[in-house]
Amino acid sequence: MPIPTQQPLLILPPPTTSAHSVEELRWTEPPSPDDTGNLIFNSLNGFLKHQPNVLYRNGHAIVAGTVTPGTLLYHSSLRNCTGLPPSKPEWVSFDPEHSYMFGSRMYTFQVVKHLKVLYFDGSSAAKMPSGPMDTQEILTHGGLTDGGWRAETDRTRIVELCEWGKDFGLDGFLRMEFDFEMMLCDFSVGMEVVSALDLFPVRGVAGRLPDCPSESMNSLNTKFRHERQGFSTNESSESFNPSVDLYLPSDPPRRGPRGPPPTPPPGWVGSLRPEQTVLIEAIQAGNWHDLPGLTQSVQLDYTRFVTFFDPKYKSLIRARRAQKEKGAFRAGNATKIDADVMLADLREMLRTWNVTRSEGMEPRITWSLLVQTVVERYSTRLEYLLLLLSTSNDGPGAFNATQISTKARWQVLIMLSPYMPVTSIPSVGAGSNYIGSVWLDPTIRHCSNVYTSRIPSSTLTSSECLIRGSVEAVAGEICRTLGIIWLEAFDVESKREEEQVVLVMKWYSETRRLMDWLGWAGWTKFITCDPACSVHEFCTFPQWPMDTRNEDESGKLNKPYCHSRGLE
């Protein structure tokens, strides 16, 4: 039986014969400096991942999502002898190491129903004046307020956010400092208590053990669900009243005050753990979420997200022109008009969000996987191409131009090969020179459009159209840059060495420009310590509050460094 011929999924028209076709002019031209497709793509690629959100602290996106059943959450306090979890909005962490910083009475919860949340990307819990908390300020106040980024405003912020979210059935707000945390509005909804433990105290967390009676978890859960004043097991019941439940300024801060050395419990032998290890281990817990992030615990709804990188916000285009560094872009530069438009879009998206706590979300196009595919396909390959070409920095005569140009040609061919039909061969013109770029048009079209060509716009939400456009922009610019290099690399092996030298240096600049434009947080320079760390250290990125406490520092510390484990 003959094997059937495989039919291509995408049939492209034959290339035009004009040396100055519209297609040629389109793909050989660089993107506008005001384009934001790369910024949107970068934001998407960083959702729920620690390291990208440390590198680009000033988040621009707000995304709907759910915390999935089975997820463990942690909340600690200095001294809580009620036997009950908080009765007001409070913070929970996804790692006990993070929660332990806030007190020695630790509650562990397990999510039993989908919790509806909003996610703020970036280091959105970093109390810095340079922009990490801008999107929260805009959501609650319509714009920036004087000192609204300060730590002492967080108690007011959690109440305001929870009050804002009541109309949309939101259970909390997800954000990140050096680890991920959730601002939880109601501890009686969708969770069960796993344990409530009095942990060994550490100075800076709690100076002594609280003198509290222990209770079984069944008893605690029963009390939690049925005996707490102001709450009901009915999920539709009224939540807190911000005018009543707002914490007074005299209440204890979230982090415990630095106290005297703790007293070990009776019968303890030997020393307690060094106090510096509490913060160090919390940092390491955050670093665990570099990859794959919180994607197993939180499902984001990519059909419902807004971003201030949307090109319709014209006021931010002007602001970005004045601030060239990607890490310094901030949503707070939006005008009141643009901020109001974003808030209206967000409210409409949430109004039509029909996800239930029992069923979760219906999967559609897995946009996160599509973004990840593009990054995986090109990230290390582009880095290697840059490494091959970087010898040109030593200047002409300091490298073997024939060898380097040949290897670079191979590397570009490797990346273009899956999209290059056998007809992608130029014709020879007068003087044995290859004319124009039309011969490469099919290759660039295949390369640029392969990810989205069969995703019809008519089935997409406005958020998804924005995502699709960002994927097309990034794939298109990668393929365009490779195509520009290939036009010159096709016959480089037959050129004179002095010509090869010029081309190698030119390709290096072009590759560097592309990688700077992409700005992917996974590049080796952002994740690898050089020199390598000792066994008593771990490699980490500068982050709030340990390394970057103010705006002046935020743009300077952009290299990973070796941090002590605190056990020397």
Side-chain angles (χ1 to χ4, degrees):
M1 181 176 179
I3 299 176
T5 303
Q6 182 177 354
Q7 297 297 318
L9 293 176
L10 178 62
I11 307 297
L12 290 169
T16 175
T17 57
S18 169
H20 300 288
S21 66
V22 173
E23 188 69 12
E24 175 187 359
L25 293 175
R26 184 187 65 81
W27 80 257
T28 56
E29 291 296 316
S32 165
D34 292 331
D35 284 354
T36 58
N38 58 323
L39 302 176
I40 296 171
F41 185 96
N42 221 354
S43 180
L44 294 165
N45 186 42
F47 282 172
L48 300 177
K49 299 174 186 174
H50 170 263
Q51 192 266 341
N53 288 297
V54 173
L55 180 60
Y56 298 111
R57 298 182 181 90
N58 295 348
H60 283 61
I62 305 175
V63 197
T66 61
V67 180
T68 57
T71 299
L72 293 177
L73 299 172
Y74 306 89
H75 172 79
S76 290
S77 61
L78 286 172
R79 298 174 183 86
N80 183 351
C81 296
T82 65
L84 291 174
S87 60
K88 302 175 182 179
E90 265 289 358
W91 289 259
V92 293
S93 178
F94 290 80
D95 297 296
E97 292 81 2
H98 185 198
S99 182
Y100 190 34
M101 294 180 59
F102 301 95
S104 56
R105 162 58 71 99
M106 182 179 292
Y107 291 92
T108 301
F109 304 93
Q110 188 159 52
V111 177
V112 295
K113 294 183 179 181
H114 292 270
L115 300 179
K116 299 173 65 175
V117 298
L118 280 188
Y119 166 57
F120 301 101
D121 74 333
S123 294
S124 47
K127 317 308 187 292
M128 300 171 63
S130 50
M133 307 189 81
D134 283 2
T135 50
Q136 294 166 79
E137 280 276 274
I138 291 171
L139 183 60
T140 53
H141 300 289
L144 303 187
T145 59
D146 185 25
W149 56 272
R150 297 184 183 279
E152 53 266 28
T153 66
D154 238 17
R155 173 57 61 191
T156 304
R157 180 176 294 106
I158 190 173
V159 174
E160 291 173 339
L161 284 172
C162 288
E163 178 67 12
W164 186 93
K166 284 171 59 177
D167 291 341
F168 310 105
L170 294 176
D171 298 305
F173 298 83
L174 181 63
R175 60 185 197 172
M176 193 192 85
E177 46 180 20
F178 48 84
D179 195 2
F180 288 95
E181 65 180 24
M182 183 165 64
M183 305 165 88
L184 189 62
C185 298
D186 188 342
F187 280 71
S188 69
V189 174
M191 301 195 308
E192 293 285 352
V193 181
V194 176
S195 63
L197 303 177
D198 293 327
L199 304 179
F200 288 101
V202 178
R203 186 171 62 184
V205 178
R208 62 178 178 84
L209 286 169
D211 183 18
C212 302
S214 60
E215 295 189 67
S216 71
M217 284 305 100
N218 288 336
S219 172
L220 188 57
N221 271 315
T222 300
K223 186 185 293 186
F224 181 33
R225 289 195 304 266
H226 298 296
E227 297 181 5
R228 232 175 52 195
Q229 292 183 353
F231 286 98
S232 164
T233 55
N234 186 342
E235 292 183 359
S236 63
S237 63
E238 288 190 9
S239 185
F240 63 93
N241 182 338
S243 64
V244 175
D245 290 339
L246 182 61
Y247 279 49
L248 297 176
S250 58
D251 280 351
R254 290 178 58 208
R255 284 190 176 83
R258 185 177 181 86
T263 302
W268 178 260
V269 177
S271 61
L272 294 172
R273 60 184 288 185
E275 63 177 288
Q276 67 269 22
T277 63
V278 177
L279 175 59
I280 290 172
E281 292 303 313
I283 296 172
Q284 291 211 77
N287 290 350
W288 296 339
H289 302 303
D290 287 348
L291 289 174
L294 286 183
T295 53
Q296 302 302 313
S297 300
V298 180
Q299 293 179 338
L300 295 181
D301 186 349
Y302 288 81
T303 69
R304 285 174 173 80
F305 102 102
V306 294
T307 174
F308 278 106
F309 285 135
D310 190 324
K312 71 181 180 182
Y313 302 123
K314 303 298 183 183
S315 59
L316 289 176
I317 293 177
R318 295 188 293 271
R320 286 191 294 270
R321 288 173 183 170
Q323 181 57 266
K324 301 297 183 183
E325 292 295 327
K326 292 185 180 70
F329 295 161
R330 57 183 302 178
N333 288 326
T335 61
K336 182 68 165 57
I337 293 175
D338 280 345
D340 288 345
V341 171
M342 188 281 292
L343 290 173
D345 289 345
L346 179 61
R347 290 190 183 97
E348 179 61 21
M349 291 176 189
L350 294 178
R351 187 186 63 80
T352 58
W353 192 30
N354 296 320
V355 61
T356 64
R357 292 191 180 96
S358 59
E359 298 176 0
M361 296 181 298
E362 280 293 322
R364 290 166 56 95
I365 297 170
T366 310
W367 291 107
S368 58
L369 181 60
L370 197 60
V371 169
Q372 179 183 339
T373 299
V374 176
V375 174
E376 289 177 344
R377 183 167 301 279
Y378 292 109
S379 182
T380 57
R381 287 172 167 177
L382 288 174
E383 275 199 297
Y384 182 58
L385 177 61
L386 187 71
L387 178 65
L388 284 173
L389 298 169
S390 63
T391 54
S392 64
N393 286 335
D394 298 331
F399 61 96
N400 187 325
T402 300
Q403 184 181 68
I404 296 301
S405 61
T406 298
K407 289 183 178 181
R409 179 185 182 275
W410 292 342
Q411 182 66 4
V412 173
L413 182 57
I414 286 170
M415 288 185 271
L416 289 178
S417 287
Y419 320 106
M420 187 179 288
V422 295
T423 55
S424 286
I425 300 175
S427 58
V428 180
S432 298
N433 292 319
Y434 296 106
I435 299 176
S437 62
V438 174
W439 58 278
L440 201 55
D441 286 357
T443 299
I444 303 305
R445 286 204 302 273
H446 275 295
C447 180
S448 302
N449 301 331
V450 65
Y451 303 100
T452 58
S453 61
R454 285 299 179 262
I455 301 177
S457 298
S458 59
T459 66
L460 304 180
T461 66
S462 59
S463 299
E464 290 178 297
C465 287
L466 204 59
I467 298 172
R468 171 182 164 163
S470 74
V471 173
E472 291 173 344
V474 166
E477 181 56 13
I478 292 173
C479 299
R480 186 194 75 85
T481 301
L482 296 176
I484 291 294
I485 295 176
W486 183 248
L487 290 175
E488 299 171 330
F490 179 74
D491 64 341
V492 71
E493 293 165 308
S494 62
K495 292 184 180 294
R496 299 189 307 273
E497 184 174 5
E498 54 267 30
E499 293 177 285
Q500 294 171 339
V501 168
V502 173
L503 289 176
V504 167
M505 298 175 71
K506 180 181 178 182
W507 299 342
Y508 172 83
S509 297
E510 194 67 18
T511 306
R512 168 57 67 190
R513 178 206 57 78
L514 172 64
M515 293 178 66
D516 288 344
W517 183 83
L518 293 171
W520 290 347
W523 302 133
T524 299
K525 68 177 182 178
F526 293 136
I527 62 175
T528 304
C529 289
D530 186 13
C533 302
S534 74
V535 294
H536 301 293
E537 300 172 317
F538 64 96
C539 186
T540 188
F541 205 80
Q543 54 194 308
W544 183 92
M546 290 69 67
D547 307 297
T548 52
R549 293 179 179 272
N550 58 60
E551 188 171 6
D552 293 336
E553 294 173 336
S554 64
K556 297 177 182 178
L557 302 174
N558 59 359
K559 292 182 179 180
Y561 69 100
C562 295
H563 196 297
S564 168
R565 296 182 183 273
L567 299 178
E568 291 86 348

